[in-house]
Structure formats: C-alpha cells, structure tokens
Amino acid sequence: MTAYWCEHLLRIGDTVIDGALVEVAGERITSVSTVDAPPPGAVVLRGLTVPGLANAHSHAFHRALRGRTHGGHGSFWTWRDQMYGLVERLDPDTYYALARAVYGEMALAGITCVGEFHYLHHGPGGIPYDDPNAMGSALIAAAHDAGIRITLLDTCYLHGGIGVEPNEVQRRFSDLDVERWIGRVGDLRAGTTGSPHARLGVALHSVRAVDPHSIAVASMWAADRRWPFHAHVSEQPAENEACRAKYGVSPVGLFARHGAISRRFTAVHANHVDHDDIATLGAAHAVVCCCPTTERDLADGAAPTGRLERAGVRLTVGSDSHAVIDLFEEMRAVETHERLSTLARGNHRIASLLAAGTEAGHESLGWPDGGVIGPGQLADLVTLSLDSVRTAGGGASAATAVFAATAADVVHVVSSGRVIVRDGAHATMDVPAELGRTIGALYT
Ligand SMILES: [Zn+2]
C-alpha cells in the first residue's frame, strides 16, 4: 500500500480538492479522501495532480521525422513520401529501440496509456518475419519498458489506394486480404495474454487501404470481441473525392454502410466531414480523435469539433505524427482551432477538453478503468508544477492545466501504481539520450 498526498487534486471534471490523500494497492487506487496535511509516510506531490493522460492516436516511428520534415513546400502527400523513406530502415530491433524512447518521451509528458495505430507489420517486400507479429510485439515490449500501458490497434492495410495495388513500401503494411489479417491478429492476441499493461484493439487504415468487403468483415469481427475499432477518416479532401468517385458516398458514409460505426468506433481526424457525416457519428455516439498539432503541421485542416460534440460525438486527442508530444497542447488546440473557424470563444467546456485527454481517451482505447482518480481505478497520477514560468500565478485549476501547462510542467508521474517520472526525470531511462541515439542511427 502506498499513500500519495496531493497538494491539489483534479479528480475529474473541473473541481479541485485542496489537500487529498490517494491510497494505492498494486496497480489500483483504493481510496481518495480529503486530508489537509500530509500524514506520516505519505509521498508528497506538490503542485496540481491530474489523471493520467491517454494518447489515443500514435504512430511511434513518425517521431523520427521531427525536425527533419517541417520546412519547404508540399502537403500531407509529400510528407508521406518522407515517412515512407523512414520505413525502409525499421526492423523489429530498431523499432523496439525507437518506440521505447518515444514512449519514454510520452511518460515524461504525463501520458500513461498510448493507442498505437500499428500498420508496419512485415519485412521488406511484404515478407512476414519468422514471428509475423514481431513488430507488434516489439511495440508492446517498448511500452512496458517505458512504464506505460498500450492498446495495440493492429491495423488492416491492404491496398495502396482505392483500386490501387500496394507499392514496394506499402507491401510491408499489407496482409493481402482481410482473412489473413484476422488470422495474424488472432495469434497476436494469444501472445499478449499475461501482459497486464497491454490490450488489443483493431483499426482500418482508411478508405484508401481497405475495400467494402474488408470493412464489413473487420467490423463484424471487432464487434463480436467488443474491441476498440479505429480508422483514419476524412483527413484530407483528396480522400473524400476518391471515395465519392468510387462509391458515391463520403468515407463516414462508406464505413456506416458496411457496419463500422458504433460507440466503439473512433474516427481519427474527421477534418472534412459534412452535415450527414456529423449526424451519423453523433447518432452512434462514436468518438472523434483530434490530432491538432499534426493536422496543422501537415496542412490537413481541423475537425468541426463544436458541431460534432453537440451532435453526440465524444472527443479524444492524439499526438499522431509526434511533431509535438504534448497532450496539454492538443487539448487546448481542440478549443483554439475551433475559435479560428467559428470566430467565437468558449466552444468547449474545460472539463470536456480535459476529459478528451483523460477519461474519454482511455475509454476509446478499451481502458474504462483509467483516466479518473477514484477507488478501483488504475493508479495513474500526473503532477504539474504550479511554479514554472508558464504556470506561476495561474492558480490550481483545470484552466491552468488545459490552457497554461505544457508537457514540460509534468514533474511526477505514477502509471498503474508505479512511479515512472520523478522530479521531471524518467525513473529508469535517459530519454533524450535514447531518442538521440536511436533516431541518429536511422539516418547514418
Ligand atoms: Zn494517423
């Protein structure tokens, strides 16, 4: 049993408790009570403690593009060519080392759970490794060794575009058909038994990479298992145009037509959705995962988050390409990007923005027992400094957490009952050194 005394605690919503004792046994919280002063033996957490953050959309290897792909002209599509160049340098060993460093960076940013949208499955030429799940297993091991939980969203990626064969790089993503993809994911499930930090979900890469038959089969298969089900949706206008030209409907319309849209469905991006798409997603109480720092880096556009939320959609956030790993920035950008398009402030409640990065994110990744500080929940505590140059003077409030704090203000992180960050440093890793070493090796 460990007791943490929090100077200020934001359990859920936007109500702060001044002086709270959180008792933890193993990986779970046993009690939360109001206690004015730290009792003997308690670990003292000075600052504002918030629930662990869930990064609902990650491609770990994209982190190696940071600082190398932001200048010059181009679009999502020219950036994608640079990303494909990186794929050629990854194998299970190099990907493990890179992902471990990236998940270490996430731990330092207060992220205790990551949804890894994983599609780099096979070796060069699309030839499976001896263990066909070697890459997915490397990611699960990397998350464990960095101290965070993972939902591996194993991604079905079959085609290079609508009606287009995969190119040389894309062959590494493809299982050739949906039945073989299901067989491989079934084996992966057996391999994760006994890894309490890991859960499985599945994803469809996008309407570009799957076909109606695959959507229908995968949807039914995921529904039978009640797994999280994610897909990139309407990230770019060109995706909508290609989908309408082939199928006569939008990407949301196509996914709905073949049974993909439900409460367990997360539409990643949803930047270019129309009135009907919003109504479809809202009626199903589906999730939309916003990735604002990536979407602005790639000139993608931004989701109409106010209209989506009013229709019944739940919002989450992800750092996606990892141009930035800072979920505080993602949470506030959901609101600030909406301000740019509506010319109005206050489109989202602060509690709703915080939930996007915590409770709703965990739920969309299949961890309904995370993202809230309460009895029976997973023991994730993220403490923010209130005396940094960014947060000083703002007070202990949800507004300070969402609108002033950054990842750099995270000083202490407990993940599933384990201390993984102390005084701003990772407990077991030299994260900057590992990032520098592993990314540097990919470019030599
Ligand atoms: Zn993505």
Side-chain angles (χ1 to χ4, degrees), residues 177-262:
D177 60 49
V178 69
E179 288 79 14
R180 271 178 269 209
W181 170 72
I182 283 174
R184 185 178 53 70
V185 178
D187 291 344
L188 179 61
R189 186 189 191 190
T192 56
T193 306
S195 301
H197 77 291
R199 291 182 185 172
L200 282 190
V202 287
L204 302 173
H205 181 273
S206 60
V207 293
R208 292 181 279 117
V210 292
D211 51 73
H213 169 71
S214 313
I215 298 170
V217 171
S219 300
M220 210 177 307
W221 190 69
D224 285 347
R225 281 149 192 80
R226 309 195 64 74
W227 281 358
F229 192 37
H230 290 216
H232 290 128
V233 176
S234 292
E235 179 172 6
Q236 283 280 326
E239 174 189 319
N240 283 15
E241 290 158 17
C243 189
R244 284 193 185 281
K246 173 70 176 177
Y247 302 113
V249 287
S250 68
V252 168
L254 188 70
F255 283 129
R257 179 186 287 174
H258 298 288
I261 312 278
S262 74

